[in-house]
Amino acid sequence: MKSFSSFPLFHFLLVLIICISCVNLVYTTPVKIGKGYRLIAIEESPDGGLIGHLKIKKKNNIYGPDIPYLQLYVKHETDNRLRIQITDAEKDRWEVPYNLLPREKAPLLKQTIGVSRKSSPFPLGVSEYSGNELIFSFTTDPFGFSVKRKSNGQTLFNSSSDDSDPYNNLVFKDQYLEISTKLPKDASLYGLGENTQPHGIKIYPNDPYTLYTTDQSAINLNMDLYGSHPMYMDLRNLNGEGYAHAVLLLNSNGMDIFYRGNSLTYKVIGGILDFYFFAGPTPLAVVDQYTEFIGRPAPMPYWSLGFHQCRWGYHNLSVIEDVIANYKKAKIPLDVIWNDDDHMDGKKDFTLNPVNYPGPKLRAFLKKIHAEGMHYIVINDPGIGVNKSYGVYQRGIANDVFIKYQGKPFLAQVWPGAVHFPDFLNPKTVEWWGDEIRRFHELAPIDGLWIDMNEVSNFCTGLCTIPEGRICPNGTGPGWICCLDCKNVTSTKWDDPPYKINASGIQAPIGYKTIATSATHYNGVREYDAHSLYGFSETIATHKGLQALEGKRPFILSRATFVGSGHYAAHWTGDNKGTWEDLRYSISTVLNFGIFGVPMVGSDICGFYPAPTEELCNRWIEVGAFYPFSRDHANYYSPRQELYQWKSVAVSARNALGMRYKLLPYFYTLTYEAHTTGAPIARPLFFSFPNIPKLYELSTQFLIGSSVMVSPVLERGKTEVKALFPPGTWYSLFDMTQAVVTKEPHYLTLDAPLHVVNVHLYQNAIIPMQRGGMLTKEARMTPFTIVVAFPLGATQGEAKGKLFLDEDELPEMKLGNGQSTYIDFYATTSNGTVKIWSEVQESKYALDKGWSIEKVTVLGLDRVGGAFEILVDGTEVTDTSNVQFTSEEHKYIDKLEEGGDKRKSMMVDIQGLELPVGKNFVMSWKMGISP
């Protein structure tokens, strides 16, 4: 949706402020702060970890007084996860609430330290604490620690500081925490978001990384945006082999992170230091371990993988009906239609505009599209309009659900005008919110909720009152201009902390255009500490409310995110621009969120504003068709940009979305893989090829799953694309006779006319496909094709794949419920024989649905087929009269730039099959004559 920072005037003013400042204090050489801490005692904790005490070496008052005594807690929580926590030894400090992010609790403060040192297995003379995969070691004076990989001794994190280092030893004050790590210069880092990274997915030295959820549009580069994810993945190449690990600092306070190329420094304005290290050693293993800790990605309904259309400015229901009709007329797939705030009465949550979206007409419309298999989602902002005739507000006041300032509900302004913000840390608020969702669902049976503006966004700053004698907003001029009477709140240390994070890229006050950070939540929690958790807590409450409706699998799209948000919701990358640069940036952001454990992610296709060019929209749908979350969305002030608005874009949409809808079973299986292992749906190429350094910063191509590579055109006027191919055989999915073969990573220039996007399938893979369709509902009931990709011309080869099917609106995505089926596919070619088979778990669901395999396509065979045999559940199929073998020789791209083996090879289609998906099958044949 829109945000105050989306519009050109605000952006211009922000840039002007930055230009006028001309001083970025963030990267000046820092003054050394103190001498660090000394470890004075350490022993084994009751839970098998280590617990120690640290004492300040020399006090100072830079950014406030030091906390004199700290408690250190270290534990190998699993074979591949190490926790290191440092906090005040005498007073409890703010932590991310355990009910929001469930995890093991550290021992209580004031443990008896040092009493049993003589008999302790960890006396001060011992400096290592080893787990299965990671080793924690420490020095006592000044205290520093390192984390090493046990298998090869590689140091992953080292907090010690030398006099020559541009950073300090450990600093721990009430509102300023600093800790650093040395890094090798060849380490490739990813993560630390949310931000728009102009250099690509790899973190770039000396770019600013500030984490603090802010309503600042994605067009702003290298700034704190909507989410806070203080996690990075570190990939290093050691003797030709890639080793990955990840580091999470679980802290919700604002922070600056400085990456200098050979070191990384955290400067945090509150909370505690609570580090989690994930050993990997592969990128996939890292995300598996990370999401095991923060929560596995949410299961997604099948229909959510279809194409979505939205626009701020669908003024009435007839416009939406017209959009749907035009998509059908253009034969472009469309599954979900969205409303921005146009459906609301006065932009108030949980209401319908009685003129433009009258309840009876909307319900009749929804009944019709639901019967067809389409779905409908609306926006919901957290700000509740202050209006005594508004039932949602009345019930909110009655239940005392709003964030307070000095005992009264904090007043802000968003789209409805004056608003209060629900306090989702309050259990009573969660119940009230769920009840409002239920009430609205009775009014309009929506299929999901889009929660926006939840950083939280406020068009005003400070302590505000409703003006007397004038209407606010007055209905004229931009709605994002503050019209309340406000005064700045800077008198407290919470509103004006001693250390200024680089908020909005200009060290803006942390309460700027949001809730005053001295405001309070449930149980006295300060907004200062909980600010970046707001969208996360709203997401959890929304998930609970939606799931309670009909027991269906919720679909939630949230703009603000935090560590663990992917366990409940999808995400889009916010307000982008219709520019070629923003198209390129979108890939890096989407890939980053897969690493963050939010795999269902996409960007506004064709850009949110201003109007994209026709060529750009062609190229954007060719990328966006392969985002995990694929949605076109546009601004109120932009011209219409639905995919049918240009004939050329409609052609590109039919091609790209046509392939997406054929690949839906593959995409859906990837959502199951994400839900069970955390594996991203869209991935950087190094996830499948971690040993190839050339891929470590590649941000113009990406993988879907492990085996489908998208190589889009990202520049104006180009009709070809230079794509990097990792070693092996790659087959074009749009023409499977086309093959690319290489022994070394190499670039290849591919033809890419306006309506063409290059998508390739890697060797050793088996992927399930279907015929496609205009709706996921119809596409998923069509017969299957199983595509088997061997290395080209291989006489010895094997391939694997899988397929997950279920009743896609069940709350859980799992086996064992009687409404799901899982199939492993295998294939080998060896000694002149090809064998393809399946192994089915929980067959009943697929059999009840009647799904069948009509075709098997085998790529890369060195000879055509001969004698053929099929067994289904161990019984030979004797009547194969309808089965047809056809073969076609593979073609090679002429513009092979380096390497490549051009021996002859065949694509073989086996058609006329009627194999039940829910039964084990084996098919095999002897190879015929070599071509």
Side-chain angles (χ1 to χ4, degrees):
M1 191 193 175
K2 59 277 174 185
S3 62
F4 65 83
S5 58
S6 298
F7 298 96
L9 176 61
F10 180 85
H11 189 230
F12 171 76
L13 291 174
L14 185 60
V15 171
L16 186 63
I17 291 168
I18 296 170
C19 291
I20 290 171
S21 300
C22 287
V23 177
N24 187 346
L25 300 177
V26 175
Y27 285 102
T28 55
T29 303
V31 175
K32 288 281 186 176
I33 303 176
K35 300 290 185 180
Y37 285 76
R38 179 169 59 89
L39 181 69
I40 58 173
I42 190 166
E43 66 180 26
E44 187 173 0
S45 63
D47 61 358
L50 288 183
I51 194 160
H53 268 194
L54 308 175
K55 183 179 180 180
I56 189 70
K57 285 171 64 72
K58 184 177 181 181
K59 294 181 180 180
N60 67 81
N61 286 305
I62 301 173
Y63 302 133
D66 297 284
I67 292 177
Y69 292 97
L70 302 178
Q71 177 171 287
L72 168 71
Y73 171 63
V74 185
K75 187 182 179 186
H76 293 281
E77 292 190 335
T78 69
D79 286 349
N80 44 51
R81 183 173 80 231
L82 170 67
R83 182 183 189 180
I84 301 174
Q85 184 192 84
I86 302 173
T87 187
D88 189 329
E90 297 176 312
K91 295 179 183 177
D92 287 325
R93 289 180 61 82
W94 167 256
E95 299 180 54
V96 174
Y98 283 79
N99 64 323
L100 292 186
L101 194 71
R103 59 200 188 277
E104 291 183 31
K105 291 191 175 183
L108 297 175
L109 299 177
K110 299 182 181 177
Q111 295 280 336
T112 302
I113 298 297
V115 172
S116 59
R117 255 184 286 163
K118 291 182 180 179
S119 59
S120 169
F122 299 104
L124 282 173
V126 174
S127 61
E128 282 196 355
Y129 170 47
S130 181
N132 281 8
E133 300 292 339
L134 298 173
I135 299 171
F136 168 80
S137 60
F138 58 88
T139 55
T140 58
D141 190 8
F143 171 74
F145 70 86
S146 65
V147 178
K148 297 179 181 179
R149 190 182 297 282
K150 193 171 185 179
S151 62
N152 58 19
Q154 191 176 51
T155 299
L156 309 184
F157 196 96
N158 179 3
S159 75
S160 298
S161 170
D162 301 324
D163 290 341
S164 60
D165 291 324
Y167 49 84
N168 300 289
N169 276 298
L170 174 65
V171 179
F172 205 117
K173 300 165 185 285
D174 187 30
Q175 290 183 270
Y176 182 79
L177 285 61
E178 181 182 332
I179 194 168
S180 301
T181 177
K182 293 179 171 65
L183 290 169
K185 287 188 176 180
D186 62 347
S188 296
L189 270 56
Y190 312 89
L192 299 182
E194 177 177 12
N195 54 47
T196 300
Q197 298 173 197
H199 301 104
I201 186 174
K202 187 175 171 181
I203 291 175
Y204 199 79
N206 299 321
D207 275 353
Y209 297 93
T210 297
L211 304 189
Y212 190 73
T213 61
T214 307
D215 176 5
Q216 184 164 245
S217 68
I219 67 173
N220 296 292
L221 306 181
N222 291 324
M223 294 186 194
D224 44 321
L225 300 182
Y226 313 108
S228 176
H229 295 269
M231 171 268 197
Y232 69 86
M233 178 189 289
D234 182 336
L235 178 60
R236 306 177 189 178
N237 196 280
L238 186 64
N239 300 321
E241 189 169 351
Y243 289 88
H245 68 276
V247 180
L248 166 67
L249 172 57
L250 187 57
N251 182 300
S252 62
N253 291 83
M255 66 182 79
D256 288 331
I257 302 176
F258 303 94
Y259 173 52
R260 301 177 181 86
N262 59 3
S263 67
L264 186 143
T265 298
Y266 299 86
K267 296 185 178 183
V268 193
I269 60 172
I272 66 173
L273 297 175
D274 204 359
F275 283 103
Y276 291 83
F277 296 85
F278 304 89
T282 66
L284 268 180
V286 164
V287 181
D288 185 0
Q289 295 154 15
Y290 181 62
T291 57
E292 180 185 30
F293 173 65
I294 67 168
R296 297 296 194 192
M300 292 290 156
Y302 201 94
W303 55 261
S304 68
L305 292 168
F307 182 68
H308 303 243
Q309 178 61 53
C310 183
R311 176 180 172 79
W312 178 27
Y314 287 150
H315 299 295
N316 55 52
L317 187 55
S318 64
V319 177
I320 286 214
E321 291 173 318
D322 183 64
V323 169
I324 293 172
N326 279 309
Y327 266 96
K328 289 179 180 176
K329 184 178 178 181
K331 292 183 168 51
I332 301 171
L334 177 64
D335 258 85
V336 191
I337 192 75
W338 293 59
N339 261 129
D340 209 315
D341 64 13
D342 303 289
H343 68 287
M344 295 179 179
D345 181 13
K347 304 185 187 301
K348 299 191 296 293
D349 283 345
F350 304 119
T351 64
L352 293 177
N353 184 303
V355 176
N356 296 329
Y357 285 87
K361 286 189 176 180
L362 180 60
R363 287 189 289 275
F365 163 76
L366 293 180
K367 185 177 181 180
K368 177 186 174 185
I369 68 166
H370 285 157
E372 293 173 357
M374 287 192 67
H375 293 80
Y376 175 66
I377 296 174
V378 298
I379 201 166
N380 215 55
D381 296 340
I384 300 300
V386 177
N387 184 326
K388 291 181 180 179
S389 64
Y390 173 33
V392 179
Y393 169 77
Q394 293 171 339
R395 291 184 290 273
I397 291 291
N399 284 282
D400 193 22
V401 303
F402 298 117
I403 292 172
K404 302 285 182 58
Y405 191 90
Q406 295 181 346
K408 296 179 180 179
F410 179 79
L411 190 72
Q413 180 192 329
V414 203
W415 298 110
V419 300
H420 297 321
F421 292 118
D423 174 12
F424 293 104
L425 299 184
N426 186 342
K428 191 185 294 185
T429 306
V430 176
E431 292 179 17
W432 162 82
W433 187 253
D435 185 59
E436 296 302 336
I437 290 173
R438 177 192 60 78
R439 289 169 182 267
F440 183 66
H441 190 265
E442 291 175 356
L443 193 63
I446 54 170
D447 299 294
L449 277 175
W450 171 18
I451 52 176
D452 190 23
M453 308 288 283
N454 53 351
E455 293 74 31
V456 61
S457 177
N458 180 2
F459 297 160
C460 301
T461 298
L463 187 60
C464 303
T465 57
I466 299 175
E468 295 183 12
R470 72 175 192 271
I471 300 171
C472 174
N474 60 18
T476 63
W480 56 90
I481 301 299
C482 180
C483 60
L484 299 176
D485 288 336
C486 303
K487 60 180 180 180
N488 286 335
V489 183
T490 57
S491 58
T492 76
K493 66 178 184 178
W494 312 115
D495 297 292
D496 187 24
Y499 176 79
K500 315 301 183 201
I501 61 171
N502 194 29
S504 301
I506 54 172
Q507 295 181 308
I510 58 174
Y512 178 68
K513 298 288 190 178
T514 188
I515 298 171
T517 45
S518 53
T520 54
H521 292 253
Y522 180 66
N523 277 347
V525 170
R526 294 184 195 89
E527 171 69 8
Y528 180 88
D529 294 313
H531 172 82
S532 289
L533 294 171
Y534 192 89
F536 181 40
S537 62
E538 184 197 15
T539 300
I540 295 172
T542 304
H543 188 275
K544 184 176 181 180
L546 283 175
Q547 194 165 72
L549 290 177
E550 297 171 333
K552 290 184 177 180
R553 187 176 301 174
F555 180 83
I556 301 165
L557 185 72
S558 179
R559 192 169 74 177
T561 59
F562 185 72
V563 175
S565 284
H567 188 56
Y568 304 95
H571 175 66
W572 93 109
T573 64
D575 299 343
N576 57 2
K577 290 183 79 172
T579 68
W580 292 95
E581 291 79 11
D582 282 70
L583 170 58
R584 289 194 292 275
Y585 301 153
S586 75
I587 294 176
S588 295
T589 308
V590 165
L591 297 180
N592 258 329
F593 269 87
I595 294 171
F596 294 150
V598 190
M600 191 64 167
V601 58
S603 289
D604 284 348
I605 293 169
C606 299
F608 181 59
Y609 80 96
T613 64
E614 182 175 349
E615 182 191 4
L616 174 61
C617 207
N618 270 278
R619 293 309 191 186
W620 209 317
I621 185 56
E622 290 171 356
V623 178
F626 299 96
Y627 291 151
F629 172 64
S630 183
R631 185 184 71 160
D632 181 302
H633 178 44
N635 190 316
Y636 184 97
Y637 299 94
S638 299
R640 297 283 289 270
Q641 65 180 46
E642 292 84 5
L643 302 180
Y644 55 76
Q645 296 288 348
W646 302 272
K647 287 185 178 179
S648 69
V649 176
V651 174
S652 294
R654 285 192 290 268
N655 287 346
L657 288 173
M659 179 56 72
R660 179 189 182 91
Y661 274 61
K662 290 176 183 176
L663 287 170
L664 282 172
Y666 179 67
F667 269 95
Y668 192 63
T669 302
L670 290 173
T671 68
Y672 175 70
E673 186 180 341
H675 179 57
T676 52
T677 71
I681 298 172
R683 311 173 190 177
L685 268 67
F686 67 71
F687 264 66
S688 288
F689 304 94
N691 298 337
I692 305 176
K694 190 181 285 190
L695 303 177
Y696 289 4
E697 54 187 316
L698 183 64
S699 305
T700 53
Q701 298 166 246
F702 58 97
L703 291 172
I704 299 298
S706 61
S707 304
V708 174
M709 182 173 71
V710 184
S711 305
V713 171
L714 302 172
E715 296 178 75
R716 183 175 59 187
K718 299 291 187 181
T719 57
E720 57 186 24
V721 62
K722 192 175 183 181
L724 181 56
F725 283 84
T729 304
W730 297 87
Y731 300 95
S732 169
L733 271 183
F734 285 95
D735 179 0
M736 295 184 198
T737 64
Q738 289 193 10
V740 173
V741 189
T742 177
K743 294 179 180 177
E744 299 293 334
H746 77 271
Y747 279 97
L748 181 63
T749 300
L750 305 170
D751 288 331
L754 190 61
H755 307 309
V756 170
V757 57
N758 283 279
V759 182
H760 289 83
L761 173 64
Y762 191 54
Q763 66 184 36
N764 305 327
I766 301 176
I767 61 168
M769 298 177 69
Q770 287 174 287
R771 292 180 183 176
M774 294 297 103
L775 284 163
T776 56
K777 180 182 178 179
E778 65 181 50
R780 77 178 307 209
M781 295 311 297
T782 60
F784 283 81
T785 293
I786 305 302
V787 181
V788 179
F790 288 122
L792 192 127
T795 56
Q796 303 283 327
E798 61 179 34
K800 296 179 181 178
K802 52 199 168 189
L803 172 62
F804 178 79
L805 303 160
D806 74 346
E807 199 62 42
D808 72 304
E809 292 197 332
L810 292 173
E812 296 293 330
M813 192 180 204
K814 63 180 183 181
L815 290 171
N817 55 16
Q819 297 186 74
S820 55
T821 295
Y822 180 87
I823 303 106
D824 282 303
F825 295 106
Y826 302 94
T828 58
T829 176
S830 177
N831 301 321
T833 298
V834 178
K835 181 181 177 183
I836 303 166
W837 70 99
S838 69
E839 294 179 359
V840 181
Q841 299 179 51
E842 309 278 341
S843 63
K844 183 179 183 299
Y845 178 70
L847 292 173
D848 289 346
K849 287 292 184 181
W851 280 306
S852 65
I853 298 167
E854 65 176 350
K855 184 168 79 168
V856 172
T857 297
V858 187
L859 309 176
L861 295 178
D862 68 337
R863 285 172 282 178
V864 297
F868 181 69
E869 178 183 72
I870 306 179
L871 282 76
V872 175
D873 276 354
T875 302
E876 184 175 355
V877 176
T878 55
D879 183 5
T880 57
S881 57
N882 291 328
V883 177
Q884 295 180 334
F885 265 79
T886 58
S887 60
E888 191 171 351
E889 194 171 318
H890 284 296
K891 301 184 288 287
Y892 297 87
I893 307 298
D894 290 330
K895 299 175 184 176
L896 196 63
E897 293 172 358
E898 49 180 281
D901 182 353
K902 292 197 174 183
R903 60 191 164 186
K904 289 187 177 180
S905 184
M906 306 298 293
M907 177 184 81
V908 175
D909 276 337
I910 308 158
Q911 303 179 66
L913 300 169
E914 296 180 3
L915 300 175
V917 170
K919 292 186 177 182
N920 295 329
F921 73 83
V922 180
M923 67 170 61
S924 61
W925 64 92
K926 293 286 186 183
M927 302 287 245
I929 303 168
S930 297

